[in-house]
Amino acid sequence: MKYWQEEETYSLEQKRAVQTERLIKTVNRVYENVPFYHEKMKELGIEPGDIKSIDDLSKLPFTNKQDLRDHYPYGLFAVPMEEVVRIHASSGTTGQPTVVGYTKNDIEMWQNMMARCYTAYGLTKKDIIQVAYGYGLFTGGLGAHYGSEYLGATTVPISGGNTKKQIQLLQEFGSTAIACTPSYALYIGESMKNMGIDPRSTNLRVGIFGAEPWTDEMRETIESTFGIEAMNIYGLSEIMGPGVAFDCQHKHGLHINDDHFVPEIINPDTTELMPNGEEGELVFTCITKEALPLLRYRTHDVTKLYTKPCACGRTLTRMGRITGRSDDMLIIRGVNVFPSQIESIILKVAEAAPHYVLIVDRINNLDTLEVWVEAKEGLFTDAIKSLERVEKHITNELFSLLGLHVRVRLVEPRTIERSEGKAKRIIDKRQK
Ligand code: ADP
Ligand code: ZN
């Protein structure tokens, strides 16, 4: 089966018609049922009748994470609680968690979106999917789980962590796919090698990796470690959870399920729409959700949209990899730095292992950035000279990419903390 649903290949006109109809419905519903949106629209001097087509999207108010926090926990829900069948909360990477809710129809839609992703990855009901995202309030585990069952695949609900058990199940249950963060996949691969098990020796053929930024270099590393296809999945709890966007087999940008979540790219400083194809902050409007249909939700994720059709035949808009969250962007002596830029350099250096952390500090009123990278096994037994040579090489590469002098320190293998969920790449020592 090539696609899960025919909507994935709608013509542009068909899609616009569907988006328009759904947007109008949603705007009416939130105007009636969510006091926050009623007020916001009044402030902007607009009424539901002013929204006549999808082109009117930019007339609508934005929603920020803070708005969800201000209405904690259920204040932005558009249905009575008796309609809500599930609650999740964002993992709180950047502060107090936000609470999200789903009706029965919302859960069904989510399952469909996940099944679209799995189908695009080449998975079917014949597969055995090991779900190693955390189960619980985090959307990753249950999102991947319900989607996998809906697809009809055999679902292994092991959750995150317990790495030895993960490896044992990979071997004994014959899992053909694993869903986890890319950083956890690396950790599993490394642990297998330490246990004397070849990570290429299992039945795995597909990885379903997301929930954190990662680079194409990381994709190559994971693919060659396990001998699998490493597929990207994107999502956020405020919009739904995993399954908002996904790689197809061409791996050339992620397809956004834009018949449900309409994307826009804005300039984060002015909130104006960016010209087509330019990078900026990703904004989503939910046009089919019942419990929490957010309008123009500011994700703080930085990317760009591609408008050209994809060779896979899907007409779903594509977005580039997330370069990072704007919250994760470091401004070091006036230069914008994303951890992913540093990752892409480190992973090209043969002597460096794919484990790193960025240490930010302020010394004499100047921001400083240090990059700690693990050396591959064996390098530390070599002469000090070779360590210095590798450090210097990385420093130079970073300088030519960023125009910034960054201090690079090679550290001994296995000294940087491994992650079983979202990796923490930045240690910020500055007083806030
Ligand atoms: P939190 O905001 O607390 O981390 P979520 O679990 O909802 O809560 O995380 C959503 C965020 O995770 C996204 O906004 C994005 O920054 C990041 N993310 C999710 N999937 C990907 C991906 N495939 N690539 C890059 N970043 C991702
Ligand atoms: Zn495609």
Side-chain angles (χ1 to χ4, degrees):
M1 186 172 24
K2 218 173 159 204
Y3 315 111
W4 180 252
Q5 292 183 300
E6 64 170 320
E7 288 91 327
E8 297 170 60
T9 59
Y10 271 177
S11 72
L12 211 60
E13 299 77 60
Q14 268 174 312
K15 185 159 70 188
R16 282 175 51 86
V18 166
Q19 287 177 328
T20 292
E21 186 202 315
R22 292 175 169 178
L23 178 68
I24 291 173
K25 235 187 186 165
T26 300
V27 170
N28 275 288
R29 285 194 43 247
V30 299
Y31 190 80
E32 293 302 321
N33 301 324
V34 187
F36 167 78
Y37 282 124
H38 194 98
E39 286 307 309
K40 279 258 172 179
M41 286 176 64
K42 266 182 128 176
E43 273 168 36
L44 291 173
I46 51 166
E47 292 192 340
D50 296 322
I51 306 303
K52 297 192 175 68
S53 93
I54 192 68
D55 296 330
D56 295 322
L57 187 61
S58 56
K59 293 183 180 161
L60 291 167
F62 286 106
T63 313
N64 288 297
K65 212 179 181 87
Q66 190 58 40
D67 298 323
L68 281 153
R69 289 182 179 146
D70 291 346
H71 296 85
Y72 177 91
Y74 310 137
L76 296 188
F77 287 11
V79 295
M81 284 309 282
E82 65 203 54
E83 304 282 317
V84 175
V85 300
R86 176 116 52 95
I87 292 291
H88 278 289
S90 81
S91 36
T93 312
T94 58
Q96 189 198 335
T98 48
V99 174
V100 299
Y102 307 78
T103 64
K104 269 194 182 161
N105 287 335
D106 291 339
I107 297 282
E108 163 115 36
M109 184 271 284
W110 189 5
Q111 292 169 344
N112 259 316
M113 295 307 105
M114 285 303 299
R116 281 187 187 182
C117 304
Y118 291 141
T119 304
Y121 304 155
L123 298 170
T124 68
K125 62 183 190 178
K126 293 189 183 143
D127 282 284
I128 302 176
I129 303 180
Q130 182 160 328
V131 180
Y133 284 114
Y135 279 59
L137 285 174
F138 172 53
T139 51
L142 286 173
H145 178 104
Y146 273 69
S148 166
E149 285 189 356
Y150 203 64
L151 177 76
T154 308
T155 310
V156 183
I158 178 166
S159 187
N162 212 345
T163 308
K164 284 219 169 93
K165 186 97 183 182
Q166 300 278 359
I167 295 167
Q168 189 192 343
L169 298 197
L170 279 178
Q171 293 184 299
E172 295 172 2
F173 286 10
S175 308
T176 54
I178 185 163
C180 62
T181 58
S183 54
Y184 191 41
L186 262 190
Y187 180 26
I188 294 175
E190 179 187 48
S191 306
M192 290 174 94
K193 285 182 193 160
N194 291 342
M195 290 161 73
I197 302 165
D198 178 3
R200 304 176 70 99
S201 65
T202 70
N203 283 352
L204 268 192
R205 53 186 189 85
V206 174
I208 303 143
F209 301 132
E212 65 183 9
W214 56 308
T215 56
D216 275 327
E217 287 76 14
M218 184 67 91
R219 163 138 56 203
E220 279 165 31
T221 303
I222 297 176
E223 289 191 332
S224 64
T225 301
F226 289 95
I228 60 172
E229 295 271 346
M231 310 302 282
N232 200 351
I233 186 158
Y234 168 86
L236 65 167
S237 33
E238 293 83 356
I239 298 307
M240 176 177 77
V244 172
F246 58 95
D247 267 332
C248 68
Q249 78 264 27
H250 297 283
K251 297 182 188 158
H252 193 266
L254 292 94
H255 286 284
I256 300 171
N257 285 314
D258 62 357
D259 51 334
H260 296 270
F261 320 108
V262 184
E264 295 171 285
I265 299 282
I266 62 164
N267 175 328
D269 301 323
T270 64
T271 73
E272 269 164 34
L273 285 180
M274 296 292 283
N276 256 346
E278 281 189 29
E279 197 167 81
E281 181 181 340
L282 183 60
V283 171
F284 282 112
T285 299
C286 303
I287 54 172
T288 54
K289 289 244 316 269
E290 294 179 340
L292 188 62
L294 297 182
L295 302 183
R296 307 191 82 198
Y297 181 71
R298 296 188 57 175
T299 65
H300 291 258
D301 290 328
V302 180
T303 189
K304 60 182 171 208
L305 299 180
Y306 304 130
T307 41
K308 284 217 185 94
C310 181
C312 74
R314 287 179 185 78
T315 51
L316 303 171
T317 308
R318 279 174 299 154
M319 67 182 210
R321 249 177 208 286
I322 304 283
T323 1
R325 305 179 156 214
S326 47
D327 320 83
D328 274 353
M329 188 180 80
L330 300 168
I331 304 179
I332 305 294
R333 301 191 290 276
V335 180
N336 299 350
V337 181
F338 278 112
S340 60
Q341 292 175 298
I342 294 177
E343 177 178 300
S344 69
I345 300 259
I346 292 171
L347 268 69
K348 283 183 200 140
V349 177
E351 298 89 343
H355 304 287
Y356 65 94
V357 64
L358 313 184
I359 307 206
V360 187
D361 206 346
R362 181 170 290 142
I363 297 166
N364 298 329
N365 281 323
L366 265 190
D367 289 331
T368 60
L369 172 62
E370 245 181 55
V371 178
W372 290 17
V373 192
E374 271 183 27
K376 286 228 175 102
E377 300 279 352
L379 200 64
F380 266 85
T381 50
D382 284 5
I384 285 285
K385 269 247 151 33
S386 61
L387 281 180
E388 282 174 359
R389 182 182 52 77
V390 176
E391 285 175 348
K392 187 139 201 328
H393 171 65
I394 301 176
T395 305
N396 290 342
E397 291 291 308
L398 287 174
F399 185 79
S400 54
L401 180 76
L402 305 168
L404 189 72
H405 191 84
V406 174
R407 191 158 167 234
V408 175
R409 254 182 73 181
L410 275 176
V411 298
E412 296 215 31
R414 288 180 237 177
T415 47
I416 289 174
E417 201 186 332
R418 301 295 187 257
S419 136
E420 296 177 347
K422 293 182 188 240
K424 192 168 171 352
R425 307 281 193 202
I426 300 174
I427 298 174
D428 199 336
K429 294 183 166 172
R430 294 175 295 193
Q431 294 293 334
K432 285 251 165 90

